[in-house]
């Protein structure tokens, strides 16, 4: 293998060339480099090589036009996976299979040898790997498969899909921001002659080799891959993607919950009385909270705890502000009736622009399930139009996901009778209850879809346009 980026060797075909070279020529090149290095250091020649033997063995070899740095990478000594010529099959009898590999079905045995310092790009292999150092030294940096997002794997459909996209020299963190923290997931090990390292299937690794390092590696298929039946591939793919999506959704919400804790400093307007109309909200708010109460009993505002009052105030204020902002923007165009407020709501667009900066989702996220229950009961009784606007027009995809998770927590904490009563009162605030349910479900699906895109980008290396 030769590369213009040497001493760094990248795995994609566009970054290196594989050239035919007699093995004896490569050995001669190694000896020539050793001799030159010894002379440069003004060291005794004897520890490096015998000049007479060197002249006798390699004096007739022409090294003109041969690149200074060549990396014998993955030259097969034995290969059971591919029907191709095994260049160094003659060395097979010299390779003693380690006892721990007895009973394993080996895929290949390969020689790795470099005449100068070399660095291989970060990648993973589809086999279990035992790397054995014959002479010299290698430093190996390992990452578990879960570190894939910080390593930006190349697209899954590419020929180098098992390699990282991040350059080893001068990485551009403006393009690959997660890569800046990749070493937090890494482990380093230095291997000397006689050492061996097990690299599990799928683990990313980047290898630095000293001058004249020789290594042998053994590859064998993992039990999971060898026992996986082909007709189950689609099923396993869907199960794995679903699990990754669920984890990505959890991670987004975890990051959302890391924001600053809200301080309960504001007071509910009008001394705790329901506000049935805000002139500043214009025509869109006109009559929003004068909907006839379907249920007379239930939470009154004065019964709410301070924390619930604070949450209620923030939700009502946010909904009113969103609709006011929408009205201001629409005032420059043709007037729009109340029932057309929906997909074109600028407030909702603003909320969905950044999943980690969603005021409504953060408000709901920080609230205990029981407190949120009291807040929604109060909204259903006193501010039904505001609750309707919150769910139908303001709630973003991440907000819908957070809301349903809070509902799940709530369901675990209250009796079935109380649970049924809560949902009856909650959905009574909507003229069209099915529309409310569909809005929440569509929001959840949109959030899951965004998580799916994140998974493809982070783990599969496929970036889909939103």
């Amino acid at each position: 293998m030769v590369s213009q980026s040497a001493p760094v060797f990248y795995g994609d075909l566009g970054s290196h060339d594989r050239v035919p070279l007699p093995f004896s020529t490569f050995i001669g090149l190694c000896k020539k480099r050793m001799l030159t290095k010894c002379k440069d250091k003004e060291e005794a020649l004897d520890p490096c090589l015998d000049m007479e033997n060197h002249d006798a063995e390699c004096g007739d070899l022409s090294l003109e036009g041969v690149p200074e740095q060549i990396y014998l990478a993955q030259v097969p000594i034995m290969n059971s996976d591919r029907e191709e010529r095994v260049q160094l099959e003659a060395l097979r009898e010299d390779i003693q299979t380690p006892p721990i590999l007895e009973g394993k079905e080996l895929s290949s045995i390969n020689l790795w040898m470099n005449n100068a310092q070399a660095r291989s790009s970060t990648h993973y292999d589809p086999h279990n790997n035992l790397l054995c150092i014959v002479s010299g030294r290698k430093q190996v940096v390992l990452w578990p498969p879960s570190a894939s997002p910080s390593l930006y794997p190349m697209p899954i459909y590419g020929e180098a899909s098992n390699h990282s996209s991040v350059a080893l020299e001068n990485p551009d963190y403006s393009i690959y921001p997660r890569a800046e923290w990749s070493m937090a997931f890494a482990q380093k090990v230095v291997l000397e002659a006689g050492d061996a390292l097990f690299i599990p299937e799928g683990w990313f690794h980047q290898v630095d080799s000293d001058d004249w390092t020789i290594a042998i590696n053994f590859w064998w298929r993992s039990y999971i891959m060898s026992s996986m039946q082909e007709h189950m591939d689609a099923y396993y793919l869907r199960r794995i993607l679903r699990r990754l999506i669920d984890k990505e959704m959890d991670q987004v919400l975890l990051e959302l919950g890391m924001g600053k804790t809200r301080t309960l400093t504001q007071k509910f307007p009008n001394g705790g009385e329901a506000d049935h109309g805000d002139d500043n909200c214009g025509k869109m708010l006109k009559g929003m909270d004068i909907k006839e109460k379907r249920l007379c009993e239930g939470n009154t505002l004065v019964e709410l705890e301070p924390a619930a009052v604070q949450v209620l105030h923030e939700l009502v204020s946010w909904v009113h502000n969103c609709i006011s902002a929408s009205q201001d923007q629409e005032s420059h165009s043709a007037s729009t009736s109340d029932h057309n407020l929906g997909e074109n709501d600028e407030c909702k667009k603003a909320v969905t622009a950044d999943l980690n900066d969603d005021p409504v989702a953060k408000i709901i996220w920080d609230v205990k399930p029981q407190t949120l229950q009291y807040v929604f009961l109060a909204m259903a009784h006193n501010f039904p139009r505001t609750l309707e606007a919150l769910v139908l027009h303001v709630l973003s995809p991440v907000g819908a996901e957070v809301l349903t998770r809070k509902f799940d927590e709530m369901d675990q904490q209250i009796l079935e009778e109380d649970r049924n009563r809560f949902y009856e009162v909650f959905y009574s605030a909507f003229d069209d209850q099915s529309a409310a349910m569909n809005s929440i479900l569509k929001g959840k699906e949109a959030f899951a879809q965004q998580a799916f895109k994140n998974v493809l980008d982070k783990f599969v290396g496929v970036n889909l346009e939103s």
Side-chain angles (χ1 to χ4, degrees), residues 182-213:
S182 63
M183 293 307 297
F185 307 100
Q187 302 178 59
K188 286 185 180 180
V189 61
V190 175
L191 304 174
E192 308 280 355
D195 290 337
L197 174 67
F198 171 54
I199 304 176
E201 172 190 11
W203 278 60
F204 283 89
H205 50 284
Q206 179 255 306
V207 184
D208 286 283
S209 304
D210 285 0
D211 290 344
W212 311 300
T213 296

Side-chain angles (χ1 to χ4, degrees), residues 104-340:
K104 303 293 185 184
E105 186 178 346
L106 295 179
S107 299
S108 63
I109 303 174
N110 304 287
L111 172 70
W112 305 77
M113 186 174 178
N114 52 285
N115 68 320
Q117 289 185 350
R119 167 176 284 187
S120 64
S121 61
T122 305
H123 67 285
Y124 66 84
D125 296 310
H127 297 88
N128 287 321
N129 183 7
L130 187 68
L131 177 63
C132 306
I133 309 302
V134 178
S135 66
R137 185 175 69 169
K138 288 180 181 283
Q139 176 184 274
V140 184
V141 184
L142 291 163
W143 290 267
S146 57
S148 294
S150 64
L151 298 174
Y152 294 88
M154 290 187 175
I156 193 66
Y157 48 77
E159 47 85 18
S161 60
N162 61 322
H163 284 255
S164 168
S165 300
V166 183
L168 293 176
E169 67 284 357
N170 302 319
D172 190 341
Y173 295 131
S174 64
I175 300 177
Y176 307 108
R178 294 189 300 270
E180 190 170 3
W181 315 108
S182 63
M183 293 307 297
F185 307 100
Q187 302 178 59
K188 286 185 180 180
V189 61
V190 175
L191 304 174
E192 308 280 355
D195 290 337
L197 174 67
F198 171 54
I199 304 176
E201 172 190 11
W203 278 60
F204 283 89
H205 50 284
Q206 179 255 306
V207 184
D208 286 283
S209 304
D210 285 0
D211 290 344
W212 311 300
T213 296
I214 305 174
I216 300 290
N217 89 293
F218 301 82
W219 272 330
W220 70 98
R221 296 183 68 187
S222 68
Y223 172 77
I224 294 178
M225 293 302 298
S226 60
S227 62
M228 184 178 293
Q229 298 179 354
E230 185 176 347
H231 73 277
M232 295 291 287
D233 286 353
Y235 165 73
Y236 290 133
L237 175 62
R238 292 181 65 88
R239 284 291 304 271
I240 292 170
L241 281 175
R242 181 70 249 186
R243 186 161 65 178
L244 289 173
I245 290 170
D246 290 341
K247 289 183 178 180
E248 177 66 17
M249 292 164 66
D250 290 339
Q251 182 61 34
V252 170
L253 295 181
L254 180 62
E255 294 173 358
L256 177 69
M258 289 181 178
K260 296 181 180 179
T261 303
R262 293 176 298 105
T263 55
L264 306 180
T265 56
Q266 294 176 294
K267 299 297 183 180
F268 199 83
N270 300 333
E273 297 180 0
D275 184 0
H276 296 292
D278 186 343
D279 293 337
N280 294 329
C281 291
K283 290 185 293 183
M284 284 184 168
L285 293 179
K286 185 176 181 181
M288 175 175 284
D289 290 327
I290 61 175
K291 188 176 184 180
E292 179 181 358
K293 307 294 187 300
R294 293 186 174 91
L295 297 171
C296 297
E297 72 284 359
N299 291 68
T300 62
L301 300 182
V302 294
E303 294 175 344
L304 294 178
E305 295 291 335
V309 171
Q310 173 68 15
V311 173
L312 179 59
H313 169 71
E314 292 184 359
L315 287 176
V316 170
S317 298
W318 181 253
V319 173
H320 285 202
N321 289 339
C322 283
I323 297 178
S324 296
S326 297
Q327 184 219 347
D328 291 342
Q329 292 194 9
E330 291 181 1
S331 64
H332 299 290
S333 59
S335 60
T336 305
S337 59
D338 290 356
H339 67 272
N340 286 334

Side-chain angles (χ1 to χ4, degrees), residues 341-355:
L341 179 63
E343 295 303 322
N344 293 326
D345 188 354
E346 294 299 325
C347 178
K348 189 168 184 177
K349 289 182 181 178
V351 170
T352 57
D354 186 351
L355 294 182

